[in-house]
Amino acid sequence: MGLVVQKYGGSSVADAEGIKRVAKRIVEAKKNGHQVVVVVSAMGDTTDELIDLAGEVSPVTSGREFDMLLTAGERISMALLAMAIKSLGHEAQSFTGSQAGVITDSVHNKARIIDVTPGRIKTALDEGNIAIVAGFQGVSQDKKDITTLGRGGSDTTAVALAAALDAEVCEIYTDVDGVFTADPRVVKKARKIDWISFEDMLELASSGSKVLLHRCVEYARRYNIPIHVRSSFSGLRGTWVSNQPQGDQPMEQALISGVAHDTSEAKITVVGVPDKPGEAAKIFRAIADGELNIDMVVQNVSAASTGLTDISFTLPKTDGRRAIEALERAKASIGFDSLRYDDQIAKISLVGAGMKTNPGVTATFFEALSGAGVNIELISTSEIRISVVTRKDDVNEAVRAVHTAFGLDSESDEAVVYGGTGR
Amino acid sequence: MGLVVQKYGGSSVADAEGIKRVAKRIVEAKKNGHQVVVVVSAMGDTTDELIDLAGEVSPVTSGREFDMLLTAGERISMALLAMAIKSLGHEAQSFTGSQAGVITDSVHNKARIIDVTPGRIKTALDEGNIAIVAGFQGVSQDKKDITTLGRGGSDTTAVALAAALDAEVCEIYTDVDGVFTADPRVVKKARKIDWISFEDMLELASSGSKVLLHRCVEYARRYNIPIHVRSSFSGLRGTWVSNQPQGDQPMEQALISGVAHDTSEAKITVVGVPDKPGEAAKIFRAIADGELNIDMVVQNVSAASTGLTDISFTLPKTDGRRAIEALERAKASIGFDSLRYDDQIAKISLVGAGMKTNPGVTATFFEALSGAGVNIELISTSEIRISVVTRKDDVNEAVRAVHTAFGLDSESDEAVVYGGTGR
């Protein structure tokens, strides 16, 4: 039996009962002969409460001090979890990100891991302890300041530790049974995926699936760490994310992994752009200078009579205002007529390996949408993904139609749903 | 203008308003040209809430993990305070005990400081920052584990940093105006003491005065760091504790510093102890083996006819049960008849320099008690203190009588009282 890294999110340790339930599950793994490293998030609403407090004393809720504040959250949950495990008669020690050797860059609030030196964790394991590590946090390499890793930080901590400790598997415990072929709240017949490749999981994550974040999957793929996403409530086998089906995992792999949707983006259309080389570059330079990330980009066919074209792109709604401002500032140098902002859109993505080499897939996808009376506004494709932008009102019907068209519907009528997912 | 260390207790930073008020006071000191290091406790009830949470997940609320848990409290308050200062346009950085170089032994929950290496604090100050340091916590020298300093820990952190940084003064901000000649809740005419020597302050602290704890004063005396105890609400000049009156402090020093009382102790009488060498030693070895601290000790005159004597001592009520158990276990080897336990006692102490050389002091003290009809059960004296044990019910009257007899009553009728004091 080898080393297992388990990660528990905030909803799994929301209160004393949750902490005690998780402690029992951890002790089980230890009793089964594993060395166990646990990564834990802050309890339930702790982080939100700290953010509220910060808002009461300062208009600026970011930077070094904000990280110092937020990291108190995991400190509380990890210490309580260690105490709960000890009360079950097993030895446990908790470690901050810094103590666990999670070394990051100095970008506060969204630091990136640049090294993991888990010497103290190894010692704790060798001495027979269960090691509890604070997720979401690290220490900056140059200034030795406490940093936080931003969204999906705890999952990334878990995968990074699994890689550094050469773990057998990184188990991500959450409040759903695994990764589904579509969001079970939208598609009642969505099926739990038993196994999915890193690549397909990356595409699903970029396309709106919220169970695992892109960043964590990317890290796992780079170091080839199998991830097992499963419920901390049910104890059932969940979804394995890895290079290839392993051991008792089913060898068959469906061509199509799943359907993802995303309603968190907005569309900006830059109207009346001179259709000559370099114009698009100016637009995206203005966006990049504002440190804004864009998703899909489409340039319309130019109307030959005017020599002008329209360029549309999507980006997170939360960045919408800043993107509009950045473009307005650069209006003179870029040269365009006007901007259109539309936040009533949805993105629907079909993800599966070998899609490009199966022309029928694209046809079936569009036929399904058309059959459901859904209009397509933008299209973007990759090797293993097709995404379209539609009206937001059409999203549920569109996802269901595509899910059925690709034979993803389960036999049973109802998927098991436990609620939303944590960070 | 030199370096000032300011310490704010939990009641001063109990909520966002408190934190903003304290931030303004800190910025004032900075504007006056001082380098400022601030030591801060956890917000209001945070520590109690964490203790409650711990109790919900584990019956054992002590040790390494408990320290990890509790130190989250100061992490929150210090980060918020730094953010509040920054929002006032000044630079501030917060530091954990570990980052501030507070090195301790490995005794969790009541660690002792063994070294302070404030390199990062000095750098922060040199760069123009206000440094905010978590009180009550450190890091163990051998294991690099997070420790807490126990009762009075934040005050001790402040004094230790003041010593290591060669500060001009260590200002202890609290919710009362300073140290008084008696507890103002008992003696309405109690006066604020403008200046008091380290030695007298030590005696007052050991005798029940709760504004400063013995441990912190002892540290300040060893490194000769003047302490200024003052209110974080009123901004008035408080009480200076130092080697000798300095600068604009009044040079006159009253013979008597004040009257302290303490109702937190109990009295144990060991009845029928063989009156021969070594018997008392056996009793106090049994107590010491239980890691229990005793305060006053009195051996009664032996009754020649029996060859037996009684030995009485006082100790904190919280240790009473364990002391009785330790003595019962050692009963056979010590050889005594029975034990008497009495928790309805009070200790009243008169503190002042040169008391021993003024025989009139003792006489006046006892006359005052006798005049108030207060019976004396035990007596203990030092160079600068006389303490007596009386019935608990007599304590207020006894304190007032002694306070008046030594001319300590103020002209005005009412002392200013803001409430109890924090840890």
Side-chain angles (χ1 to χ4, degrees), chain A residues 45 67 118-119 125 130 150 168 201 211 257 359 367 404:
Chain A
D45 301 326
D67 278 353
L125 292 174
I130 294 165
E168 264 180 13
M201 191 64 233
V211 181
S257 286
E367 281 161 15
T404 302

Side-chain angles (χ1 to χ4, degrees), chain A residues 11-12 172-180 183-185 192 210-212 229-239 416-422:
Chain A
S11 57
S12 300
I172 307 277
Y173 285 88
T174 178
D175 49 8
V176 293
D177 268 343
V179 182
F180 281 75
D183 184 336
R185 285 168 300 190
K192 191 194 72 191
K210 293 184 181 61
V211 181
L212 284 182
V229 184
R230 56 197 303 196
S231 164
S232 73
F233 295 84
S234 76
L236 297 176
R237 178 197 160 120
T239 300
V416 183
V417 187
Y418 295 93
T421 62

Side-chain angles (χ1 to χ4, degrees), chain A residues 377-394:
Chain A
E377 303 186 10
L378 294 178
I379 302 171
S380 150
T381 61
S382 81
E383 278 295 320
I384 54 175
R385 179 183 50 77
I386 310 174
S387 298
V388 297
V389 166
T390 68
R391 285 294 87 199
K392 193 176 173 183
D393 291 343
D394 291 337

Side-chain angles (χ1 to χ4, degrees), chain A residues 64-65 71 94 120 145, chain B residues 64-65 75 94 120 145:
Chain A
R64 178 187 190 280
E65 301 308 321
T71 51
S94 66
R120 291 189 66 174
D145 281 334
Chain B
R64 179 188 189 278
E65 301 307 321
R75 197 175 190 87
S94 66
R120 292 190 64 174
D145 281 334

Side-chain angles (χ1 to χ4, degrees), chain A residues 16 20 56-57 60 64-65 68-69 71-72 75-76 78-79 82-83 93-94 99 120 143-145, chain B residues 16 20 56 60 64-65 68-69 71-72 75-76 78-79 82-83 87 93-94 99 120 143-145:
Chain A
K20 288 196 270 189
E56 287 179 46
V57 302
V60 184
R64 178 187 190 280
E65 301 308 321
M68 188 68 101
L69 178 70
T71 51
R75 197 177 192 86
I76 294 171
M78 73 183 192
M83 292 172 76
Q93 287 193 327
S94 66
Q99 291 176 335
R120 291 189 66 174
K143 292 185 179 168
K144 309 292 176 218
D145 281 334
Chain B
K20 288 197 269 190
E56 287 178 46
V60 184
R64 179 188 189 278
E65 301 307 321
M68 188 67 100
L69 178 71
T71 51
R75 197 175 190 87
I76 293 170
M78 75 183 189
M83 292 174 75
S87 79
Q93 288 193 329
S94 66
Q99 290 176 334
R120 292 190 64 174
K143 293 187 179 166
K144 309 294 176 216
D145 281 334

Side-chain angles (χ1 to χ4, degrees), chain A residues 196-197 199-201 203-204 253-259 349-358 361 382-386:
Chain A
I196 185 171
S197 70
E199 290 72 19
D200 282 17
M201 191 64 233
E203 289 287 358
L204 277 183
Q253 184 201 351
L255 175 68
I256 302 300
S257 286
V259 185
S349 305
L350 182 71
V351 172
M355 199 172 277
K356 268 277 170 68
T357 54
N358 276 275
V361 170
S382 81
E383 278 295 320
I384 54 175
R385 179 183 50 77
I386 310 174

